Amino acid sequence: MRVAVDAMGAEKGIGIVIEGALRAIEENPEIEVTLVGDEARIQDKIKSFSFTKPPFSIIHAPQVIEMSDSATASLKTKRNSSVSVVVDLVKEGKVDGLVSAGNTGAVMATSLLKLGKVRGVKRPCLAAVFPTLDGGKVVILDVGANVDCRPDYLFQFAVMGSIYAYKVLKRRRPRVGLLSIGAEENKGNELVLQTHKLLSQSSLNFVGNIEGGDITGGSVEVVVCDGFVGNIILKFAEGLARTALAIVDEELKSVLPGLVRMVSGKWLERLKKDFDYAEYGGVPLMGVKGVCVIAHGASSSKAIKNAILASFQYAQGRINQHIEMALAKKGVKDELTEG
Amino acid sequence: MRVAVDAMGAEKGIGIVIEGALRAIEENPEIEVTLVGDEARIQDKIKSFSFTKPPFSIIHAPQVIEMSDSATASLKTKRNSSVSVVVDLVKEGKVDGLVSAGNTGAVMATSLLKLGKVRGVKRPCLAAVFPTLDGGKVVILDVGANVDCRPDYLFQFAVMGSIYAYKVLKRRRPRVGLLSIGAEENKGNELVLQTHKLLSQSSLNFVGNIEGGDITGGSVEVVVCDGFVGNIILKFAEGLARTALAIVDEELKSVLPGLVRMVSGKWLERLKKDFDYAEYGGVPLMGVKGVCVIAHGASSSKAIKNAILASFQYAQGRINQHIEMALAKKGVKDELTEG
């Protein structure tokens, strides 16, 4: 299984990406990594690592798309960017998936244009995984690919989310909740009211509307919403996590002496792990014809590692084929239905 | 200054409401409280308090609107509910404001129907106050009154929020952010793109789009969004706060011995205070002709106290008059503009 990794997009630099690649290969030796980016800069950074021959290949891409670049403009003006080259590698079948921590808009636009959509998919969407109160996981989609949605898009997000929850989170008959402002089916905006009807008529394991407070409550494995709401939720969670950690940290410094701090470090780590969504390592762009995982711009090496592993799981789970079959209503497996 | 308090709506019972009223009167002796509800039950509960003559008056209301009641149906079938009576008291000018922790939909519908709207207001909205990372406060609106919004509604929310931030949060020239999925003015859904234009042309201190992660970041005092997004954000924050507290609590129990726990209790309290939005004590329904503060169903006595104080501040600040003047463009004070 081969994964192409954009070496240039991470805010913390090329070294973080190299480290992430090394950790992914170490954790799963089945994965072959190709780093894509400015070869001279990658080679230069490699010198600070201890190996003589790197355990990954390198493909040169002379241009870099900056965070400030327009997504659509960079498609035209930077045809030899690292983003463009990783997408080409997927398109040409030279790798099984890609990972990029670069400009999200540019990665989405390039993937959509060059790879196209899986047959039957109206709008690809971004799927993020959140931890739940009971120690489980929930996939929330769309978190930012589509700001204005129609009910049929949201219905497809539910199908794609169910497949992801089954194949990657390993949950049979994943429960689907529609994000709204009340549990009753008459609560919500026009989009939600119409989507509720579509989901009720489907064979998915739809449990009805859920509220904001239920997202991380563990009552569902799939949360469906439009990309505007999902993106705000995702970033709000990141913001709150930083606030919580800052408060805990500041207060710990002032109140707890050194030794106790070491002891309490254990749960601080857990809090950090549970709330730092940058650690989660990337959201797949579901519904494009190819495997495309977008990592957080501020990714750590662990986040890059997790994104590479996610790319592997996505490809190995043949998720795109399952989406195509499910939307053609030829292969909706029992594992996805309410049973 | 007189405030009518619905004694029946709080999930934790009448005792909590009485306690909240006592604490409010103690904190601000200018406030006169009238409790409204089933008089026999209120009198019965009063026995458990130590005073001989209660420092508040009681008005009997024989009916109770349950959380499960339909907002519109209860308007017709429960004309003598405590919610209905507190609203009547405001309408008749017998009190200066009301507080209810009851069925939010019913309180909103009753207030809107009986009190009507402040001249010029298209849609009343709910305004919630969040703490910010730098120790400040931010008002976010709408958090649930209007699920489907138009740009002109959001523009008015910005005006009302600015007045609230100035009069209650005491911030001159409050900065207004429009909640979206990117800081650039071309980022967002149709509603946001159109609202951005209206706000840019206004004299409000509009700083542009903000993202979900900026809500509690302290860069703005007013966050504007539609009631669907706002309600989800509000409830998601409550959910995350519970998750964070549960994790901290569980881990403290397992890791820290008793003595240290007592010491660390100090910052646990702060974390609780900063993140438990139920403690904040109510959101005003801005734009109705009268002062109406809706408290969280799960309010503590402190939350009820804070809601009564908020009602007082709202009435004393003559916020409705300021809204009317601002919307008529006759009295937009320098304190609200970008200067």
Side-chain angles (χ1 to χ4, degrees):
Chain A
M1 202 67 83
R2 298 148 302 164
V3 179
V5 181
D6 173 6
M8 310 309 285
E11 286 167 21
K12 292 174 184 164
I14 297 174
I16 286 293
V17 179
I18 296 176
E19 253 178 67
L22 294 176
R23 292 176 69 174
I25 298 163
E26 194 181 302
E27 194 159 320
N28 188 340
E30 279 184 66
I31 300 175
E32 287 174 34
V33 170
T34 299
L35 284 193
V36 178
D38 185 320
E39 185 159 11
R41 287 175 58 192
I42 296 174
Q43 291 291 5
D44 189 55
K45 187 54 86 174
I46 281 176
K47 288 178 195 152
S48 63
F49 289 83
S50 57
F51 43 70
T52 43
K53 189 182 171 305
F56 46 76
S57 54
I58 299 169
I59 291 182
H60 182 55
Q63 290 172 313
V64 177
I65 296 178
E66 306 295 342
M67 284 298 174
S68 55
D69 281 343
S70 146
T72 43
S74 57
L75 261 168
K76 289 179 200 156
T77 57
K78 295 187 173 175
R79 289 169 191 274
N80 293 310
S81 69
S82 54
V83 170
S84 197
V85 172
V86 287
V87 174
D88 285 339
L89 288 170
V90 171
K91 187 178 170 67
E92 294 158 7
K94 290 179 180 159
V95 298
D96 301 287
L98 72 86
V99 167
S100 175
N103 182 318
T104 303
V107 179
M108 284 201 296
T110 309
S111 298
L112 202 52
L113 184 84
K114 294 195 174 190
L115 302 176
K117 295 179 284 190
V118 168
R119 185 190 301 267
V121 169
K122 291 172 183 174
R123 293 291 176 99
C125 68
L126 291 169
V129 174
F130 278 15
T132 58
L133 184 49
D134 57 1
K137 284 176 180 170
V138 57
V139 56
I140 174 167
L141 65 182
D142 174 24
V143 295
N146 308 277
V147 289
D148 288 294
C149 286
R150 298 191 330 211
D152 51 338
Y153 302 168
L154 261 64
F155 169 74
Q156 292 199 339
F157 299 165
V159 172
M160 292 193 268
S162 294
I163 291 170
Y164 190 86
Y166 172 56
K167 300 299 288 186
V168 178
L169 306 183
K170 309 292 181 196
R171 294 295 302 247
R172 274 175 63 90
R173 306 188 193 282
R175 291 165 296 181
V176 177
L178 177 61
L179 191 57
S180 188
I181 62 165
E184 305 83 354
E185 66 181 289
N186 62 344
K187 289 281 179 68
N189 58 16
E190 270 309 308
L191 175 64
V192 164
L193 299 182
Q194 298 302 320
T195 305
H196 194 286
K197 287 179 196 161
L198 290 181
L199 288 171
S200 297
Q201 290 156 8
S202 78
S203 61
L204 294 172
N205 191 4
F206 177 54
V207 301
N209 289 350
I210 63 161
E211 297 187 85
D214 305 320
I215 295 172
T216 58
S219 60
V220 294
E221 284 78 41
V222 181
V223 173
V224 174
C225 59
D226 69 57
F228 184 80
V229 171
N231 186 270
I232 289 171
I233 288 284
L234 180 74
K235 289 182 178 159
F236 182 57
E238 288 171 2
L240 274 191
R242 280 194 298 271
T243 306
L245 290 175
I247 290 173
V248 168
D249 215 47
E250 180 196 327
E251 297 284 332
L252 273 178
K253 268 180 205 146
S254 67
V255 176
L256 298 182
L259 185 66
V260 177
R261 228 189 143 191
M262 276 173 58
V263 176
S264 65
K266 204 168 133 188
W267 65 257
L268 188 59
E269 278 312 305
R270 175 167 161 201
L271 197 71
K272 232 170 198 155
K273 196 166 147 279
D274 278 6
F275 281 87
D276 191 355
Y277 295 98
E279 284 294 301
Y280 273 78
V283 293
L285 179 61
M286 299 192 77
V288 291
K289 219 187 292 170
V291 175
C292 170
V293 173
I294 300 176
H296 199 287
S299 284
S300 60
S301 67
K302 185 176 158 197
I304 296 289
K305 177 202 79 178
N306 285 337
I308 295 171
L309 295 177
S311 191
F312 171 83
Q313 287 179 305
Y314 199 98
Q316 203 189 39
R318 298 165 49 88
I319 287 180
N320 286 340
Q321 288 89 326
H322 284 280
I323 292 172
E324 187 173 337
M325 285 194 295
L327 292 180
K329 297 192 178 127
K330 277 184 294 199
V332 181
K333 295 227 162 56
D334 284 349
E335 288 80 359
L336 297 185
T337 66
E338 57 194 312
Chain B
M1 203 66 83
R2 299 147 302 166
V3 179
V5 181
D6 174 6
M8 311 309 286
E11 285 166 22
K12 291 174 185 162
I14 296 174
I16 286 294
V17 180
I18 295 176
E19 254 177 66
L22 295 176
R23 292 176 69 175
I25 299 163
E26 195 182 301
E27 194 158 322
N28 188 342
E30 278 183 69
I31 301 175
E32 286 174 36
V33 170
T34 299
L35 284 192
V36 177
D38 186 319
E39 185 161 10
R41 285 175 60 192
I42 296 174
Q43 291 291 5
D44 189 55
K45 187 55 87 177
I46 281 177
K47 289 178 196 153
S48 63
F49 289 84
S50 58
F51 43 71
T52 42
K53 188 184 172 302
F56 45 77
S57 54
I58 299 169
I59 290 182
H60 181 57
Q63 291 173 313
V64 177
I65 297 178
E66 307 293 343
M67 285 299 174
S68 55
D69 282 343
S70 145
T72 44
S74 57
L75 261 169
K76 289 180 199 154
T77 58
K78 296 186 173 176
R79 289 170 189 272
N80 294 309
S81 70
S82 55
V83 170
S84 197
V85 172
V86 289
V87 175
D88 285 339
L89 289 170
V90 171
K91 187 178 170 65
E92 295 159 8
K94 290 179 180 161
V95 298
D96 302 288
L98 72 87
V99 167
S100 175
N103 181 316
T104 302
V107 180
M108 284 201 297
T110 309
S111 299
L112 202 53
L113 186 82
K114 294 194 174 192
L115 303 176
K117 294 179 283 190
V118 168
R119 186 191 300 268
V121 169
K122 291 174 182 174
R123 293 293 175 97
C125 67
L126 291 169
V129 173
F130 278 15
T132 58
L133 184 49
D134 56 1
K137 284 176 180 170
V138 59
V139 55
I140 174 168
L141 66 183
D142 174 25
V143 295
N146 309 279
V147 289
D148 288 295
C149 286
R150 298 191 329 212
D152 51 338
Y153 303 167
L154 261 64
F155 169 73
Q156 292 200 338
F157 300 165
V159 173
M160 293 193 268
S162 294
I163 292 171
Y164 190 86
Y166 173 56
K167 301 298 289 185
V168 178
L169 306 184
K170 311 291 180 195
R171 293 296 301 246
R172 275 175 64 91
R173 308 188 193 281
R175 292 164 295 180
V176 177
L178 177 61
L179 191 57
S180 188
I181 61 166
E184 304 84 354
E185 65 181 288
N186 63 344
K187 288 280 179 68
N189 57 16
E190 270 309 309
L191 175 64
V192 164
L193 299 183
Q194 297 303 320
T195 305
H196 194 286
K197 287 180 197 162
L198 290 181
L199 289 171
S200 298
Q201 291 156 7
S202 78
S203 62
L204 294 172
N205 192 2
F206 177 53
V207 301
N209 290 349
I210 63 160
E211 296 187 85
D214 305 320
I215 295 173
T216 58
S219 61
V220 294
E221 285 77 41
V222 181
V223 173
V224 173
C225 60
D226 70 56
F228 184 80
V229 171
N231 186 270
I232 289 170
I233 288 284
L234 180 73
K235 290 183 176 158
F236 182 58
E238 289 172 1
L240 275 191
R242 281 195 297 273
T243 307
L245 290 176
I247 291 173
V248 168
D249 214 49
E250 180 196 328
E251 296 283 334
L252 273 179
K253 268 181 207 146
S254 68
V255 176
L256 298 182
L259 184 67
V260 176
R261 227 189 145 194
M262 276 173 56
V263 176
S264 64
K266 204 168 132 189
W267 64 258
L268 187 60
E269 277 313 304
R270 175 169 161 199
L271 196 72
K272 234 172 199 156
K273 196 167 148 279
D274 278 6
F275 281 88
D276 191 354
Y277 295 98
E279 285 294 302
Y280 272 79
V283 293
L285 179 60
M286 300 192 77
V288 291
K289 220 188 290 170
V291 175
C292 170
V293 173
I294 300 176
H296 198 286
S299 284
S300 60
S301 66
K302 185 176 159 198
I304 297 290
K305 178 202 77 175
N306 286 338
I308 295 171
L309 296 177
S311 191
F312 171 83
Q313 287 179 305
Y314 199 98
Q316 201 189 41
R318 297 166 49 89
I319 288 181
N320 286 341
Q321 287 90 324
H322 284 280
I323 291 172
E324 189 173 334
M325 285 192 295
L327 293 180
K329 296 189 182 156
K330 278 183 295 198
V332 182
K333 295 227 163 58
D334 284 349
E335 287 80 359
L336 299 184
T337 64
E338 57 194 311

